[in-house]
Amino acid sequence: MLNQNRGPDGVSMNRRDFIKISGLFGLGAAAPAMLAGCAARPLPGQGEVVRTPTFCDMCFWKCAAYAHIENGQPWKIIGNDDDLHSKGRLCTRGTAGMGAYEDPDRLRRPLIRVTGADGLQTFREASWDEALDYIAERLKKVEQRHGADRLALLNHGYGAHHFQHLVRAFGSASIAEPAFAQCRGPRDVGFELTYGEVIGSPERTDMEHSRCIVLIGSHIGENLHNAQVQTLADAMRNDVTLITVDPRFSVPASKSKYWLPIKPGTDIALLLAWMHVLIDEGLYDRDYIERYATGFEQLKRHVARYSPEWVYLETGIEPETIRRTAREMAAAAPATLIHPGRHTTWYGDDTQRSRAIAILNALLGSWGRKGGLYNKESVSLPHYPVPEYPEARSDFRAAHAGRFPFANSGVTTAVIEASVGADAHYKAWIVYGTNLPMTIPGIRPTLQAAIDSLDLVVVVDTMPSEVTGYADVVLPECTYLERYDDLRNSGERVPSLALRMPVFEPRYDSKPGWWIAKQLGHRLGLEKYFPWDDYAEVIDWQLKQLGSSLEEMKRIGVKNFPRKRPLYFAPGQDVRFFTPSGKIELYSQQLADKGFDPIPEYTRPESPPAGYYHLNYGRMPAHTFGKTTNNHLLFQLAPENTLWVNPLVASERGLVNGEYVRLANPDGVVSNQIRVRVTERIRPDSVFMAHGFGHRSRKLRLTHDVGADDSELMTRLKIDPLMGGTGMRGNFVTIIKEAV
Ligand SMILES: Nc1nc2c(c(=O)[nH]1)N[C@H]1C(S)=C(S)[C@@H](COP(=O)(O)OP(=O)(O)OC[C@H]3O[C@@H](n4cnc5c(=O)[nH]c(N)nc54)[C@H](O)[C@@H]3O)O[C@H]1N2
Ligand SMILES: Nc1nc2c(c(=O)[nH]1)N[C@H]1C(S)=C(S)[C@@H](COP(=O)(O)OP(=O)(O)OC[C@H]3O[C@@H](n4cnc5c(=O)[nH]c(N)nc54)[C@H](O)[C@@H]3O)O[C@H]1N2
Ligand code: SF4
Ligand SMILES: [Mo]
């Protein structure tokens, strides 16, 4: 195997060169061919229509839906009216699900990396049997030589459950997903330290009943997580007082009573000043704090020095605005929600910022109260009986090497680092549904080094995303519209189950994740963990334990269940929180014991060097990261990202609306071209772009090289010492004008 890494002249090459060859999949060249399936169709709804329930996978919100096929052809996907989680509606991306199914650039057959006589590495197509045998043989070698715990799973998305099961059955507990270290980890750890519980997904925000909502970042409306948008709209219909803290005039900022265009990175100072005002003016919920919280006196002493006047100098937010907004929050409490956010890996002090948000909510008495953060509940769904997993010799903490004491989940970057070198802990990876090079900023050199060291890299994906170029074996999964997955059972207001089942037969030679995991399991001698022929049996068994059945769910798609516990605390109710003290911990002894600030402290962020701007990034409504940019339906709506530039910057640099520029960072990285959008909606010290563009994979023929990739420009990362989060916002860029 190692011989593959040497050229014919013995010159050492990268162990795995990134394979850029286009046209590997035996496709015709013309991308517009994809539209053929949609052409010349008679009026929709006239033919024979088949309606199949599913839940959406275009992002991670999982809205229940019905897919319609007419005369055997894809027609439309619409929301399921019985689904309280989506309120029966889909967003733009959800309705474009057929575009994922129809994408002609999809992975079609298993691929195995080979080195040609000329030393050039490429993929060759293989049968499933060959690809699976190849993987199983190498995994067995890893197990014999090093132990099963040396396999890591890097995963994202709902279908990953099948591979988590496989990896656990094999004997590894090293599982990491970008949803932790690149997304909501700091928030969930910050809230767990404070309340003993995470916020989780979907967020337990009771916005429809809120009378005051504070959004810090959280650009809901551009961030299109369905029910978040709808309940924010409900709140606005009810005349909620909306306060948005964002350096950019975001969509919710435009709907707000107060927009606080904060200096980037200074949010903790603002949060501490709000606490200062609430305590100083006696506006906090005294009864709630006395009953439920511990550490108030320490908090009071701590925030005394964060006066609005001092904080104004840091944040640029006028003292009077800080006071007035704090009073608005108090007037509406406890129906005041300081939104916990979701993508919270910003400046490296993110767990502490999330702690500050958690503490502010406590002062307002909003946790467990109507209009604040409700008690979430899921369905008690029995697990299909399989044997206990073997005890893994080590888990993901082996990768952390004593760092990140509050990481309750694998840190992707740490797992990747712990895979570099001959003595590395990890020897094999399965990568499922995550496009590591674009998802984890700053990782490319380490990723290449890890790939060079590992004995086996398997990538399971639907598309020829950049990550597939690093694999030894690429396994083509079919899309969510062609498979069963586990029932959706997320904790929220009303417990519910939703069904995902095949709408179509898998296209090409792609296969469902459950089938791939089972086939690998059998080859690894783990048959007893996969005692089903079809995953439908598992779902049917689970449903029957609850008095329902697959048969019923195929008709209704979603089933709502009664709650067993109240949604909110009763007045004066005794509550024991799952923290060490049993109370809401305003002061955290757990943090103090590990040498961290027990109450959040503010540290001044770095300012951009002369001629540089903060690199700000976020979502655009029409796309989910990089995974939908090649979808022809969404491409038509939003083909590229743009660079938001303040008019002052535009005039200083002679930039005009619509022209292409490049961005350069202080480490010499230069981006793809990106189109300028001149707008007052961004501060002059920052530029903004949506994440998910600038794909380098030539096999993504629509979106290849279109727009710029924020990840490439993020070479300076601030790692959260508490839990390993990748702080991405401390990066600066300058603008290079370019004649096109
Ligand atoms: N359409 C669409 N919707 C999505 C997704 C998608 O890909 N596409 N992804 C989903 C996922 S997984 C996530 S995690 C969420 C992420 O969505 P959010 O959790 O809303 O992301 P944030 O990073 O909080 O918000 C970005 C906002 O923060 C602002 N910002 C930048 N710097 C600062 C700062 O220093 N202080 C403050 N106060 N604000 C700042 C930016 O200007 C921008 O408006 O979106 C979800 N929704
Ligand atoms: N620079 C930068 N980095 C970020 C962010 C950012 O805003 N800027 N956001 C962060 C956040 S909040 C998050 S949550 C993460 C998201 O990180 P990822 O989940 O890695 O996001 P994507 O880039 O969309 O990659 C998804 C991959 O899954 C594949 N895929 C899609 N559907 C399926 C399927 O059904 N089965 C399989 N097997 N594969 C499938 C896609 O083809 C693609 O390769 O990124 C984080 N990283
Ligand atoms: S929010 Fe949109 S993309 Fe996400 S699951 Fe729901 S419909 Fe699909
Ligand atoms: Mo995320």
Side-chain angles (χ1 to χ4, degrees):
M1 183 94 199
L2 278 171
N3 294 338
Q4 283 188 8
N5 312 315
R6 308 233 162 236
D9 53 358
V11 177
S12 177
M13 294 164 52
N14 272 339
R15 162 107 160 70
R16 293 180 184 86
D17 292 336
F18 182 81
I19 296 179
K20 292 190 188 118
I21 300 159
S22 55
L24 268 173
F25 305 104
L27 302 175
M34 68 189 63
L35 296 170
C38 318
R41 192 175 289 167
L43 274 182
Q46 307 291 306
E48 191 199 328
V49 175
V50 179
R51 189 183 85 154
T52 311
T54 183
F55 56 90
C56 180
D57 195 53
M58 297 293 282
C59 84
F60 305 110
W61 199 257
K62 309 184 197 82
C63 302
Y66 283 113
H68 292 68
I69 304 184
E70 189 180 19
N71 295 334
Q73 290 296 315
W75 176 21
K76 65 175 180 184
I77 306 180
I78 55 172
N80 180 330
D81 285 336
D82 298 326
D83 187 27
L84 301 171
H85 174 61
S86 62
K87 303 191 184 201
R89 294 163 76 181
L90 303 184
C91 76
T92 327
R93 298 163 297 157
T95 55
M98 296 293 188
Y101 165 74
E102 289 169 332
D103 199 319
D105 293 345
R106 276 174 59 170
L107 294 168
R108 297 182 174 215
R109 270 170 280 283
L111 302 170
I112 296 181
R113 173 180 294 263
V114 286
T115 306
D118 53 2
L120 213 63
Q121 296 180 11
T122 184
F123 286 123
R124 72 169 169 79
E125 290 184 348
S127 69
W128 276 98
D129 273 337
E130 190 190 359
L132 295 166
D133 287 346
Y134 181 105
I135 296 167
E137 191 192 312
R138 277 159 184 78
L139 281 178
K140 279 189 206 150
K141 272 195 193 134
V142 168
E143 184 185 16
Q144 282 154 15
R145 286 190 195 150
H146 310 283
D149 60 326
R150 306 305 187 87
L151 165 68
L153 173 66
L154 294 154
N155 69 129
H156 202 194
Y158 207 60
H161 283 190
H162 306 296
F163 290 86
Q164 290 162 3
H165 177 63
L166 171 71
V167 163
R168 296 301 302 270
F170 184 62
S172 165
S174 284
I175 299 175
E177 59 170 5
F180 184 71
Q182 283 72 37
C183 180
R184 52 195 167 82
R187 173 193 83 181
D188 285 344
V189 172
F191 272 76
E192 192 162 32
L193 283 165
T194 314
Y195 294 95
E197 274 181 72
V198 301
I199 292 290
S201 175
E203 284 78 13
R204 47 170 75 198
T205 50
D206 199 20
M207 284 197 279
E208 65 198 59
H209 297 119
S210 301
R211 294 199 300 121
C212 176
I213 297 174
V214 182
L215 299 177
I216 299 171
S218 297
H219 54 335
I220 297 172
E222 290 154 296
N223 148 8
L224 223 62
H225 271 173
N226 196 335
Q228 289 282 305
V229 187
Q230 292 194 55
T231 50
L232 180 62
D234 290 342
M236 286 186 319
R237 265 191 291 277
N238 296 336
D239 256 350
V240 72
T241 300
L242 190 56
I243 301 169
T244 300
V245 184
D246 197 314
R248 190 177 60 97
F249 193 61
S250 61
V251 166
S254 72
K255 316 274 180 223
S256 295
K257 180 165 175 189
Y258 300 92
W259 170 42
L260 279 49
I262 194 165
K263 186 166 170 225
T266 63
D267 297 80
I268 295 184
L270 176 65
L271 288 157
L272 293 168
W274 274 333
M275 293 179 209
H276 173 105
V277 176
L278 292 180
I279 295 175
D280 195 43
E281 300 189 6
L283 297 174
Y284 67 97
D285 191 331
R286 210 175 286 257
D287 177 61
Y288 184 94
I289 291 292
E290 271 168 21
R291 196 181 290 275
Y292 297 134
T294 167
F296 178 74
E297 286 308 317
Q298 289 108 314
L299 177 70
K300 184 176 169 178
R301 277 198 299 279
H302 181 81
V303 299
R305 57 198 156 92
Y306 289 97
S307 70
E309 282 68 23
W310 187 85
V311 164
Y312 164 56
L313 300 176
E314 297 298 311
T315 59
I317 309 298
E318 300 273 353
E320 202 32 49
T321 308
I322 298 178
R323 290 206 166 82
R324 204 175 319 140
T325 45
R327 288 174 198 144
E328 291 262 19
M329 291 175 211
T336 296
L337 174 76
I338 316 300
H339 197 290
R342 186 172 177 110
H343 173 62
T344 46
T345 44
W346 294 5
Y347 296 96
D349 53 4
D350 305 304
T351 305
Q352 293 288 9
R353 188 184 63 256
S354 296
R355 275 261 302 150
I357 292 173
I359 293 170
L360 187 57
N361 274 301
L363 289 178
L364 295 159
S366 67
W367 178 276
R369 308 285 279 282
K370 190 169 178 181
L373 294 142
Y374 63 77
N375 301 320
K376 57 199 292 177
E377 194 174 312
S378 52
V379 179
S380 315
L381 184 66
H383 289 295
Y384 190 87
V386 286
E388 289 264 310
Y389 294 131
E391 179 130 17
R393 279 209 315 225
S394 67
D395 69 6
F396 60 84
R397 287 178 189 85
H400 301 175
R403 297 166 297 167
F404 319 137
F406 295 98
N408 49 22
S409 184
V411 171
T412 41
T413 45
V415 168
I416 296 170
E417 283 159 13
S419 307
V420 177
D423 302 334
H425 183 76
Y426 295 109
K427 299 294 175 194
W429 287 356
I430 298 177
V431 181
Y432 177 96
T434 177
N435 190 18
L436 301 173
M438 284 179 78
T439 294
I440 307 188
I443 208 65
R444 278 171 227 197
T446 320
L447 187 61
Q448 184 62 57
I451 299 279
D452 287 346
S453 317
L454 287 158
D455 291 348
L456 177 69
V457 179
V458 179
V459 172
V460 187
D461 208 300
T462 50
M463 297 294 296
S465 302
E466 286 71 11
V467 68
T468 57
Y470 293 91
D472 289 312
V473 187
V474 180
L475 300 179
E477 190 178 21
C478 57
T479 67
Y480 72 103
L481 292 172
E482 302 158 287
R483 66 186 198 229
Y484 283 106
D485 268 323
D486 282 305
L487 290 160
R488 183 196 81 191
N489 180 19
S490 19
E492 51 198 311
R493 280 189 189 80
V494 178
S496 71
L497 296 176
L499 175 68
R500 176 180 289 165
M501 62 173 288
V503 177
F504 306 101
E505 284 295 311
R507 284 186 99 179
Y508 316 117
D509 202 7
S510 64
K511 298 281 186 192
W514 69 260
W515 182 92
I516 304 172
K518 175 182 151 78
Q519 294 298 322
L520 278 172
H522 280 233
R523 283 168 170 79
L524 292 166
L526 305 171
E527 294 90 340
K528 62 183 179 182
Y529 293 96
F530 298 88
W532 45 80
D533 288 326
D534 191 313
Y535 209 67
E537 295 161 35
V538 176
I539 296 171
D540 192 40
W541 182 89
Q542 288 183 298
L543 288 166
K544 285 196 169 130
Q545 310 310 302
L546 299 174
S548 176
S549 64
L550 181 57
E551 199 50 44
E552 183 190 28
M553 287 301 276
K554 282 184 177 178
R555 280 197 314 276
I556 59 177
V558 172
K559 196 173 172 75
N560 296 315
F561 290 78
R563 281 186 73 99
K564 295 189 176 138
R565 289 176 295 278
L567 197 54
Y568 312 117
F569 299 161
Q573 182 187 335
D574 258 350
V575 179
R576 193 178 158 80
F577 293 84
F578 300 113
T579 53
S581 64
K583 301 247 178 204
I584 301 171
E585 301 198 340
L586 307 177
Y587 175 97
S588 171
Q589 192 58 48
Q590 291 193 76
L591 285 176
D593 290 347
K594 299 269 191 228
F596 297 108
D597 295 331
I599 303 178
E601 285 283 1
Y602 165 70
T603 329
R604 186 172 300 152
E606 265 175 80
S607 295
Y612 282 81
Y613 310 92
H614 289 275
L615 172 61
N616 188 356
Y617 60 88
R619 311 286 166 244
M620 69 156 70
H623 287 292
T624 303
F625 315 114
K627 82 171 189 173
T628 61
T629 50
N630 204 66
N631 178 313
H632 71 96
L633 299 171
L634 295 173
F635 181 87
Q636 288 172 46
L637 284 180
E640 62 189 326
N641 59 353
T642 56
L643 184 74
W644 292 34
V645 173
N646 186 277
L648 288 175
V649 176
S651 82
E652 210 174 272
R653 294 189 168 258
L655 303 173
V656 291
N657 219 6
E659 82 171 288
Y660 280 103
V661 293
R662 289 180 195 268
L663 297 171
N665 77 6
D667 296 322
V669 176
V670 177
S671 77
N672 257 359
Q673 291 182 338
I674 181 166
R675 206 186 268 279
V676 168
R677 170 178 175 187
V678 179
T679 168
E680 297 275 0
R681 293 175 58 186
I682 182 88
R683 289 169 56 108
D685 63 0
S686 307
V687 292
F688 174 85
M689 67 164 88
H691 166 68
F693 287 86
H695 276 283
R696 298 294 186 179
S697 168
R698 291 176 198 283
K699 297 170 230 158
L700 299 168
R701 287 174 295 167
L702 267 189
T703 196
H704 166 240
D705 257 352
V706 174
D709 175 13
D710 58 342
S711 284
E712 283 186 356
L713 293 158
M714 294 171 175
T715 46
R716 300 198 180 172
L717 302 164
K718 303 255 185 328
I719 305 305
D720 190 323
L722 278 76
M723 49 61 70
T726 304
M728 308 179 187
R729 292 237 155 107
N731 284 279
F732 307 119
V733 289
T734 191
I735 303 169
I736 307 174
K737 253 180 96 72
E738 150 133 343
V740 183

